[in-house]
């Protein structure tokens, strides 16, 4: 029989079982460092909620600003029309007077 045909013995299994829990705990500890804790998740959730509120507030302010800008443009247009009408009225008064 060839020497390359080794079977796993109880001694090999015993040696593996000594180190497997340590390696497993090490892997779990490493994986826990990759993800935030529950407290960090809650802080992140609170931060995202606050950001959502601010974005909503900014959107409302932007809409109000746009509405006000449109109202100002409309007022400018009406004011120009009044100035034109007033100038025409003065021109007619000068012709008649």
């Amino acid at each position: 029989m060839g020497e390359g045909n080794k079977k796993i013995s109880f001694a090999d299994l015993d040696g593996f079982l000594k180190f497997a829990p340590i390696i497993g705990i090490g892997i779990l500890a490493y994986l826990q460092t990759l993800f935030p804790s529950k407290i960090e998740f809650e802080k992140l959730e609170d931060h995202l909620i606050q950001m959502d509120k601010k974005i909503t507030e900014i959107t409302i302010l932007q809409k109000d600003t746009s509405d006000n800008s449109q109202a100002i443009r409309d007022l400018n247009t009406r004011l120009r029309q009044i100035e034109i009408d007033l100038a025409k009225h003065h021109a007619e008064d000068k012709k008649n007077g």
Side-chain angles (χ1 to χ4, degrees), residues 10 16 18-19 22-23 27 30 32 36 45-46 50 54 57 59 73 75 79 84 86 90-91:
F10 182 73
F16 174 74
K18 286 180 183 176
F19 295 107
I22 296 170
I23 293 170
I27 291 171
Y30 172 72
Q32 275 191 320
E45 182 182 19
D46 290 342
Q50 292 300 323
K54 288 180 182 179
E57 184 179 323
T59 303
R73 279 189 227 109
L75 284 174
L79 183 61
I84 291 170
L86 187 61
H90 282 303

Side-chain angles (χ1 to χ4, degrees), residues 26-38 40-41 44:
I27 291 171
L28 286 175
Y30 172 72
L31 289 175
Q32 275 191 320
T33 62
L34 295 177
F35 299 102
S37 68
K38 182 179 179 183
E40 290 171 334
F41 267 122
L44 182 61

Side-chain angles (χ1 to χ4, degrees), residues 49-80:
I49 289 170
Q50 292 300 323
M51 285 182 62
D52 186 46
K53 287 178 183 178
K54 288 180 182 179
I55 288 171
T56 303
E57 184 179 323
I58 289 171
T59 303
I60 291 169
L61 289 173
Q62 184 179 12
K63 185 179 181 325
D64 288 345
T65 303
S66 296
D67 292 345
N68 289 340
S69 296
Q70 184 62 38
I72 289 171
R73 279 189 227 109
D74 291 345
L75 284 174
N76 283 337
T77 303
R78 287 173 46 198
L79 183 61
R80 284 188 197 125

